């Protein structure tokens, strides 16, 4: 298939482009490079031996998106493009609502206009708010506490309503848990700008000596060791989940959790990183981070049964691959 990947030079998008090309699909990337680098296109080519077409466009701009759809025959879209930092979304909510919701409307609108009926959307486990774990796709979406999460809930709703009135549409709403790690080549990975918000890039920068120690946000949660529990998933496993969704999706709208189903605490991840890479990560336990929840992990049965997809890589693989990328970049 000819697949348009919005946000395709970003962290998850670039790994998914590699997986798409490996699965014999042709890839067209649309990215405004607001949080990624053009050299990622070369790196995807170095890994796969095949060059993706690249367009530097902002996908909130309807004219650019329509021009792209009018000049290519597109079979499906994976819509990654968006802003993703929860804390930043509380400081600049309007930018988040505009970028994330308008991009979904514009890209979905072009799909309808040009008869593209396969749409895969990057949603997030954050839509579950503080529900009971494990999070199941059928749960009511309560208590989303930040603008970023709201943009995902709104985009899911918009795509669901479109699918109701367009019976040929197949939509996958993929709720990612915590993607970490990097492609095994060490050529592509996560490139946070400034001081990382997320745990794994913070750990790798401490390992590299760019940051002096990890601050563990909260040691008094009701978890195995008092630190927050998350469902970390290797980004290449996540990438493959997109291929499964694209290739196996029936008509209608379908929600899937993409996680491993295993919870890992902050301190367990630190220990795994130390073991995988034979390094020490200095840390201190500080106050809880506002808005954080104690536990988040997926019920993954639905993706297993309906997509035949399952995450395969271990926490040690994730730690090894994340460090390989950080070291070599
Ligand atoms: P990323 O920032 O690395 O990638 C997003 C890409 O989209 C970037 O290359 C950026 O330049 C591009 N972009 C942003 N706005 C754009 C626009 N208006 N037009 C064109 N390009 C634009 O982020 P990521 O981690 O790869 O996340 C991809 C998607 O997955 C996002 O929608 C994010 O909300 C979602 N998600 C990410 C995580 C995570 O932990 N990384 C978890 C759940 C969901
Ligand atoms: N975390 C931490 N220190 C950091 C960054 C994150 O202790 O510098 C914790 C955070 O409180 C949470 C877990 O690590 O329990 C995962 O946080 P991340 O920001 O990576 O993902 P999310 O909050 O989106 O699940």
């Amino acid at each position: 298939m000819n697949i348009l990947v919005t946000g395709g030079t970003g962290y998850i998008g670039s790994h998914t482009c590699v997986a798409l090309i490996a699965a014999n699909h042709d890839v067209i990337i649309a990215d405004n490079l607001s949080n990624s680098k053009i050299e990622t296109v070369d790196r995807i080519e170095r890994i796969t031996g095949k060059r993706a077409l690249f367009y530097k466009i902002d996908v909130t701009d309807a004219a650019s998106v329509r021009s792209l759809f009018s000049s290519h025959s597109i079979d499906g879209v994976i819509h990654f493009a968006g802003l993703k930092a929860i804390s930043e979304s509380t400081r600049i909510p309007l930018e988040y609502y505009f970028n994330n919701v308008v991009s979904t409307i514009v890209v979905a609108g072009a799909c309808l206009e040009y008869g593209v009926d396969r749409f895969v959307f990057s949603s997030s486990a954050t839509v579950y708010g503080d529900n009971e774990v494990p999070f199941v796709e059928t749960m009511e979406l309560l208590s989303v506490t930040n603008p970023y999460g709201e943009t995902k809930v709104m985009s899911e709703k918009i795509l669901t309503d479109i699918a109701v009135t367009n019976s040929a549409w197949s939509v996958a709403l993929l709720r990612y848990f915590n993607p970490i790690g990097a492609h095994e080549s060490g050529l592509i990975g996560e490139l946070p700008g400034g001081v990382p918000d997320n745990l794994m890039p913070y750990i790798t920068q401490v390992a590299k000596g760019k940051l002096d120690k990890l601050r563990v946000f909260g040691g008094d949660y009701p978890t195995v060791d008092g630190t927050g529990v998350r469902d970390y998933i290797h980004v290449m496993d996540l990438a493959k989940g997109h291929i499964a969704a694209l290739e196996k999706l029936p008509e209608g709208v379908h929600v899937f959790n993409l996680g491993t189903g295993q919870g890992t605490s902050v301190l367990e991840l630190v220990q795994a990183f130390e073991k995988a890479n034979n390094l020490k990560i200095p840390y201190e336990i500080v106050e809880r981070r506002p808005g954080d929840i104690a536990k988040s992990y997926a019920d993954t049965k639905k993706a297993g049964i309906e997509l035949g997809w399952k995450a395969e890589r271990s926490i040690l693989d994730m730690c090894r691959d994340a460090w390989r990328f950080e070291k070599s970049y």
Side-chain angles (χ1 to χ4, degrees):
M1 289 189 274
N2 223 3
I3 306 300
L4 172 64
V5 184
T6 76
T9 42
Y11 174 45
I12 307 170
S14 57
H15 290 81
T16 304
C17 289
V18 167
L20 282 165
I21 294 170
N24 283 320
H25 297 292
D26 290 321
V27 171
I28 304 164
I29 297 173
D31 198 301
N32 66 1
L33 301 178
S34 58
N35 197 35
S36 55
K37 296 201 162 90
I38 184 68
E39 70 186 56
T40 299
V41 180
D42 298 331
R43 289 170 174 245
I44 293 169
E45 185 179 5
R46 276 172 68 190
I47 294 169
T48 61
K50 207 166 155 191
R51 192 154 186 92
L53 284 180
F54 176 81
Y55 290 91
K56 183 172 185 285
I57 61 169
D58 190 311
V59 295
T60 61
D61 179 37
S64 312
V65 171
R66 291 175 78 227
S67 149
L68 183 61
F69 274 73
S70 67
S71 53
H72 293 279
S73 152
I74 294 169
D75 301 301
V77 173
I78 310 182
H79 180 40
F80 290 106
L83 303 174
K84 63 163 179 178
I86 291 176
S87 58
E88 185 183 57
S89 80
T90 63
R91 293 194 301 275
I92 49 167
L94 187 60
E95 280 85 341
Y96 270 70
Y97 283 110
F98 184 82
N99 202 56
N100 292 6
V101 179
V102 174
S103 66
T104 301
I105 293 171
V106 165
V107 177
C111 286
L112 292 180
E113 190 176 338
Y114 290 90
V116 178
D117 54 17
R118 254 159 214 280
F119 197 104
V120 177
F121 176 66
S122 297
S123 190
S124 164
T126 197
V127 300
Y128 290 109
D130 204 359
N131 262 302
E132 282 290 303
V133 284
F135 297 155
V136 189
E137 289 90 343
T138 47
M139 279 174 164
E140 207 183 326
L141 303 184
L142 309 164
S143 67
V144 174
T145 53
N146 56 77
Y148 167 75
E150 294 289 359
T151 69
K152 294 297 179 189
V153 174
M154 286 180 187
S155 293
E156 285 198 5
K157 175 82 177 116
I158 291 165
L159 294 168
T160 302
D161 289 346
I162 295 174
V164 168
T165 51
N166 293 274
S167 55
W169 251 45
S170 301
V171 182
L173 306 175
L174 304 183
R175 295 180 179 159
Y176 310 155
F177 281 70
N178 288 58
I180 58 172
H183 187 264
E184 292 75 1
S185 63
L187 285 169
I188 55 173
E190 190 168 8
L191 284 172
V195 178
D197 276 332
N198 295 116
L199 180 59
M200 182 53 93
Y202 205 105
I203 292 177
T204 58
Q205 292 199 14
V206 170
K208 205 172 186 178
K210 277 162 95 178
L211 296 166
D212 63 340
K213 64 182 164 202
L214 171 69
R215 291 159 66 238
V216 176
F217 298 138
D220 57 354
Y221 285 108
T223 60
V224 59
D225 55 19
T227 66
V229 163
R230 296 290 182 272
D231 183 341
Y232 297 98
I233 174 170
H234 195 292
V235 66
M236 282 310 296
D237 280 335
L238 185 67
K240 287 190 175 165
H242 293 74
I243 316 299
L246 259 185
E247 292 178 349
K248 303 219 173 106
L249 199 61
E251 282 162 10
V253 60
H254 306 272
V255 184
F256 294 104
N257 285 339
L258 297 185
T260 63
Q262 301 294 317
T264 302
S265 75
V266 176
L267 293 183
E268 286 171 338
L269 191 68
V270 169
Q271 282 153 14
F273 188 89
E274 292 182 334
K275 183 173 167 202
N277 299 308
N278 201 20
L279 284 163
K280 273 314 240 192
I281 300 297
Y283 69 85
E284 67 171 325
I285 295 185
V286 300
E287 287 298 291
R288 291 181 180 192
R289 184 170 65 178
D292 271 357
I293 57 174
K295 294 182 196 169
S296 161
Y297 53 88
D299 180 312
T300 60
K301 287 197 264 318
K302 190 177 174 202
I305 294 165
E306 294 185 24
L307 300 178
W309 170 88
K310 189 169 166 294
E312 285 164 356
R313 291 163 177 81
S314 69
I315 288 279
L316 290 177
D317 296 330
M318 301 178 209
C319 292
R320 206 175 298 120
D321 292 339
W323 177 231
R324 186 187 297 113
F325 176 70
E326 179 74 54
K327 249 189 326 194
S328 61
Y329 197 83

